[in-house]
Amino acid sequence: MEVSLIFVGIDVSKAQLDVEIRPSGEKQSFANDKVGNKALVKWLAKIAPTLIVMEATGGYERQIMRALVSAEICLRRGQPTPGQRLR
């Protein structure tokens, strides 16, 4: 039996959450507010990702982190590395 691993990266800014799914490469953007967070959590719940990774952005990530934890979706927050991108 083959297990599909699905990873999600979230680029967090004050106004927007840019999301990319791997390995499919699907991308979507959501407002970084309660309405956008609710839509993102609903979308991710359907996908059932193995892991979500997002950057620490001085607090702009806190609201979506709380929403994901409340929905029992696994995530990790990491420090951004200047000049590098996830590929």
Side-chain angles (χ1 to χ4, degrees), residues 6-10 17-22 24-30 35-49 52 68 71 73:
I6 299 172
F7 299 98
V8 176
I10 301 177
L17 303 167
D18 294 317
V19 184
E20 185 166 351
I21 308 294
R22 290 290 184 180
S24 73
E26 182 178 357
K27 298 177 184 181
Q28 288 218 25
S29 294
F30 299 85
V35 173
N37 290 339
K38 186 176 180 179
L40 175 53
V41 168
K42 184 177 179 179
W43 184 60
L44 290 174
K46 291 178 186 175
I47 295 168
I52 297 171
L68 291 166
I73 297 175

Side-chain angles (χ1 to χ4, degrees), residues 12-86:
V12 179
S13 70
K14 183 177 182 179
Q16 188 166 301
L17 303 167
D18 294 317
V19 184
E20 185 166 351
I21 308 294
R22 290 290 184 180
S24 73
E26 182 178 357
K27 298 177 184 181
Q28 288 218 25
S29 294
F30 299 85
N32 192 3
D33 60 19
K34 288 184 180 187
V35 173
N37 290 339
K38 186 176 180 179
L40 175 53
V41 168
K42 184 177 179 179
W43 184 60
L44 290 174
K46 291 178 186 175
I47 295 168
T50 305
L51 179 63
I52 297 171
V53 178
M54 70 177 65
E55 62 183 331
T57 56
Y60 296 134
E61 76 284 1
R62 289 184 189 137
Q63 187 172 329
I64 187 58
M65 285 184 62
R66 282 191 292 269
L68 291 166
V69 168
S70 292
E72 298 182 356
I73 297 175
C74 185
L75 70 113
R76 295 290 180 262
R77 179 178 63 177
Q79 295 298 327
T81 304
Q84 292 188 352
R85 294 177 50 123
L86 295 176

